[in-house]
């Protein structure tokens, strides 16, 4: 069960408490140290005054702090650093900043065309300064995450951390890499190290993601609320509100989710993930016309394959197959575009093929993805594709990985639980199927415009459970 009041107790509680507190003395000492440095550096023969910040300074601060940057600020930073490397081709630091900004711009716009530029800049930085170039190594880790190349992100992130263990902005990159690879233990250990020495909104948001993956959704929601309250820049606060909205939706509360998503878009009009979230929430609230409108806006601003799949399925649920087909065609085109930029969108393509195209092709695609990164989301997709391809017995093995907390599936995901229940129903494990389909609808009764009606129809077909006095063998424990 989720923690409703106090959260988990035991070893985990200490490391979670550390995220929320930081001694004032440390901040005071740090502030004095910075002030001392300023006094030493300011010449005595002229008045001291703060230098005027460059137009790209807000994005520079965000990238160095590991927090989201606004798209206009990123564009200014890219312009500044592109000019700097034209004037000083051996400026390794500017090459590294330029590459990292390109990677973030591509991620925010869902435009993989930025990724080759990012890689060229970052590798140029390493060529100019091959030794102790932590900024370039961390930039390559960020680029690999944007491309969903989690093994490479882990390699680059670990190399950066080995050079500078105290550079805290590297830790979130490694946490994301470990999570993408399904290595929750390493993600937790890395978060432990981060929270032992650092606090603040970015750390709270990263902790929330780890809590969510471990099934501690109350703690995740509390951390995100604190992160949003403490964020300084509008783009940063909007990003945390988007995450809070996604968490609220996953917990089955589309009304709360919609409020978070709308506030995120108000703060940052380029927050397309929050726009897509509005579409998801509005559809769940029975407002399909509004849902379609904001989904289309999100997809126009950020042509992400996942949004195309979600919008296509919404059209399909509304009896509009031609409109759905247009979005599915866009999904295929965007996956090809991503591959040209070195990005991996095999997971979303496999999910699409399993339900709407060729399940056999989905199985082959997702088996290869599973070999690259044995994460729970890949296990869920592969198990479902196997079931759709007529291999439900093997599919159940992967569905168990995706939903069993002991095996790593602790997120309490309604879609994964629905997939498991449907596979069990196909295998004649009626008791387990009934239990897991009911659980999927309990977790989030709005998890999918196509899946929810299918789950309810399956439960009706299964009928009421037998009398308690009659022993049943449902085989659902796996």
């Amino acid at each position: 069960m989720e923690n409703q009041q106090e959260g988990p107790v035991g070893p985990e509680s200490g490391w979670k408490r550390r995220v929320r507190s930081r001694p004032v003395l440390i901040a005071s000492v740090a502030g004095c140290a910075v002030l001392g440095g300023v006094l030493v550096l300011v010449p005595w023969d002229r008045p001291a005054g703060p230098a005027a910040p460059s137009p790209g300074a807000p994005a520079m601060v965000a990238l160095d702090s590991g927090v989201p940057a606004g798209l206009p600020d990123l564009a200014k930073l890219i312009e500044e650093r592109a000019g700097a490397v034209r004037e000083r081709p051996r400026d390794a630091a500017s090459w590294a900043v330029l590459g990292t900004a390109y990677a973030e711009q591509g991620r925010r716009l869902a435009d993989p065309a930025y990724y080759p530029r990012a890689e060229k800049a970052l590798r140029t930085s390493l060529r100019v300064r091959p030794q102790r170039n932590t900024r370039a190594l961390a930039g390559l880790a960020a680029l690999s995450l944007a491309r969903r190349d989690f093994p490479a992100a882990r390699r680059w992130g670990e190399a950066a951390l080995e050079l500078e263990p105290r550079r805290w902005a590297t830790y979130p990159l490694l946490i994301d890499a470990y999570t993408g690879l399904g290595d929750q233990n390493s993600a937790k250990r890395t978060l432990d190290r981060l929270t032992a020495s650092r606090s603040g909104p970015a750390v709270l948001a990263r902790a929330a993601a780890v809590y969510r993956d471990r099934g501690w959704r109350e703690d995740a929601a509390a951390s995100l609320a604190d992160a949003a309250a403490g964020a300084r820049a509008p783009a940063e606060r909007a990003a945390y509100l988007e995450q809070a909205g996604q968490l609220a939706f996953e917990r089955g509360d589309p009304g709360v989710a919609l409020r978070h998503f709308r506030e995120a878009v108000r703060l940052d009009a380029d927050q397309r993930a929050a726009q897509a979230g509005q579409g998801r929430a509005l559809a769940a609230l029975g407002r399909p016309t509004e849902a379609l409108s904001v989904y289309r806006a999100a997809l126009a601003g950020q042509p992400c394959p996942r949004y195309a799949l979600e919008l296509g399925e919404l059209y399909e649920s509304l009896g509009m197959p031609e409109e759905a087909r247009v979005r599915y065609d866009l999904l295929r085109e965007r996956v090809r575009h991503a591959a040209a930029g070195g990005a991996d969108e095999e997971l979303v393509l496999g999910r699409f093929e399993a339900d709407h195209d060729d399940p056999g092709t989905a199985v082959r695609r997702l088996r290869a993805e599973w070999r690259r990164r044995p994460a729970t989301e890949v296990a869920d997709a592969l198990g479902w594709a196997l079931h759709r391809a007529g291999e439900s017995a093997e599919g159940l093995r992967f569905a168990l990985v995706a939903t069993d907390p002991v095996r790593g599936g602790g997120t309490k995901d309604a879609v994964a639980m629905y997939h498991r229940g449907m596979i069990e129903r196909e295998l004649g494990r009626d008791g387990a199927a009934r239990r897991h389909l009911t659980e999927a609808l309990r977790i989030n009764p709005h998890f999918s415009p196509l899946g929810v009606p299918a789950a309810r129809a399956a439960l009706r077909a299964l009928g009421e459970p037998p009398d308690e006095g009659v022993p049943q063998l449902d085989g659902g424990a796996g």
Side-chain angles (χ1 to χ4, degrees):
M1 290 181 59
E2 294 185 15
N3 301 295
Q4 300 298 321
Q5 299 295 331
E6 300 176 354
V9 296
E12 291 88 351
S13 59
W15 66 268
K16 285 193 293 183
R17 282 195 299 269
R18 289 199 301 273
V19 177
R20 301 179 186 280
S21 63
R22 187 182 186 189
V24 174
L25 178 59
I26 295 177
S28 301
V29 172
C32 292
V34 171
L35 178 60
V38 171
L39 290 175
V40 169
L41 292 174
V42 170
W44 291 104
D45 58 351
R46 62 183 180 188
S54 69
M60 185 72 239
V61 171
L63 291 180
D64 275 348
S65 303
V67 303
L71 282 175
D73 294 333
L74 275 172
K76 293 172 186 174
L77 180 62
I78 287 171
E79 183 180 0
E80 286 178 6
R81 294 306 166 121
V85 297
R86 281 194 298 270
E87 294 178 5
R88 301 183 300 278
R90 298 193 61 79
D91 184 347
S94 286
W95 278 116
V97 172
L98 178 62
T100 305
Y102 273 141
E104 179 66 3
Q105 189 88 321
R107 185 191 70 82
R108 287 290 308 272
L109 293 171
D111 186 354
Y114 282 92
Y115 298 155
R117 299 181 225 171
E119 183 170 6
K120 180 180 178 181
L122 290 163
R123 291 192 180 277
T124 301
S125 178
L126 279 179
R127 187 169 62 253
V128 172
R129 185 190 298 162
Q131 304 296 324
R132 303 200 64 80
N133 193 342
T134 308
R135 190 188 289 276
L137 294 174
L140 284 164
L143 171 61
S144 299
L145 287 173
R147 285 172 155 169
R148 300 183 66 80
D149 185 352
F150 298 104
R154 177 182 59 191
R155 290 194 302 272
W156 293 117
E158 288 176 347
L161 196 63
E162 184 177 356
L163 279 181
E164 290 189 51
R166 294 186 179 182
R167 187 179 188 273
W168 79 270
T170 304
Y171 286 86
L173 300 173
L174 266 177
I175 292 170
D176 285 353
Y178 290 137
T179 300
L181 292 168
D183 188 353
Q184 298 298 335
N185 290 332
S186 293
K188 176 187 175 298
R189 285 195 299 270
T190 307
L191 181 63
D192 283 345
R193 293 177 64 185
L194 174 60
T195 57
S197 59
R198 186 80 182 187
S199 186
V203 178
L204 287 164
R206 197 64 52 178
V210 175
Y211 298 162
R212 179 247 177 212
D213 290 337
R214 297 178 73 87
W216 303 341
R217 294 194 169 181
E218 292 294 332
D219 300 290
S223 287
L224 283 171
D226 290 345
R232 296 182 178 180
E236 180 188 3
R237 185 161 187 259
Y240 302 152
L241 286 169
E242 187 278 326
Q243 294 174 46
Q246 177 61 22
L247 183 64
F249 185 83
E250 290 175 354
R251 297 168 71 196
D253 197 337
V256 171
L258 183 60
R259 289 198 295 274
H260 287 316
F261 290 138
R262 281 180 165 165
E263 177 63 9
V265 174
R266 186 190 69 79
L267 289 167
D268 180 4
D270 296 314
Q271 180 47 258
R272 305 300 180 179
Q275 271 191 318
Q278 286 185 67
R280 210 173 300 126
L282 287 164
L285 292 168
R287 297 156 66 179
T289 301
E290 296 173 77
L292 292 172
S293 176
V294 292
Y295 252 131
R296 287 193 296 263
L299 194 56
Q302 188 185 49
C304 173
R306 179 190 167 190
Y307 304 161
L309 177 58
E310 291 180 1
L311 180 54
E313 290 187 337
L314 179 56
Y315 273 121
E316 194 171 329
S317 73
L318 296 171
M320 305 170 72
E322 291 301 323
E323 293 287 351
R325 192 171 299 114
V326 170
R327 274 68 194 184
Y328 296 154
D329 288 344
L330 175 63
L331 181 152
R332 293 187 186 94
E333 188 274 327
R334 295 307 300 178
V335 169
R336 288 192 296 270
H337 183 58
D344 177 8
E345 292 288 358
E346 292 293 286
L347 178 58
V348 69
L349 183 58
R351 285 172 169 162
F352 162 73
E353 288 173 334
D355 276 325
H356 307 285
D357 194 2
D358 183 353
T361 300
V363 168
R364 291 191 294 274
R365 193 178 301 281
L366 293 168
R367 282 194 195 278
E369 187 74 2
W370 175 253
R371 287 192 293 271
R372 283 192 293 271
R373 55 182 195 103
T376 55
E377 60 179 352
V378 183
D380 168 54
L382 177 54
W384 183 245
L386 285 161
H387 162 69
R388 296 279 295 174
E391 302 176 54
S392 296
E394 186 182 2
L396 182 59
R397 289 171 42 210
F398 288 97
L400 291 173
V401 173
T403 55
D404 185 350
V406 175
R407 306 183 191 205
T411 58
K412 300 182 182 178
D413 180 72
V415 174
M417 201 65 70
Y418 158 70
H419 287 162
R420 176 172 173 174
M422 295 295 279
I423 294 171
E424 288 165 332
R425 176 173 177 256
E426 178 68 20
L427 294 171
R429 302 183 176 196
D430 290 357
R434 187 182 294 109
R435 183 166 66 252
H436 293 125
L437 290 170
T438 301
E439 178 69 1
L441 293 169
R442 185 199 66 79
I443 294 170
N444 182 4
H446 318 284
F447 65 83
S448 162
L450 295 177
V452 167
R456 289 175 175 158
L459 281 172
R460 286 194 298 270
L462 286 167
E464 293 297 322
D467 293 337
E468 293 182 3
V470 180
Q472 294 289 317
L473 297 176
D474 64 35

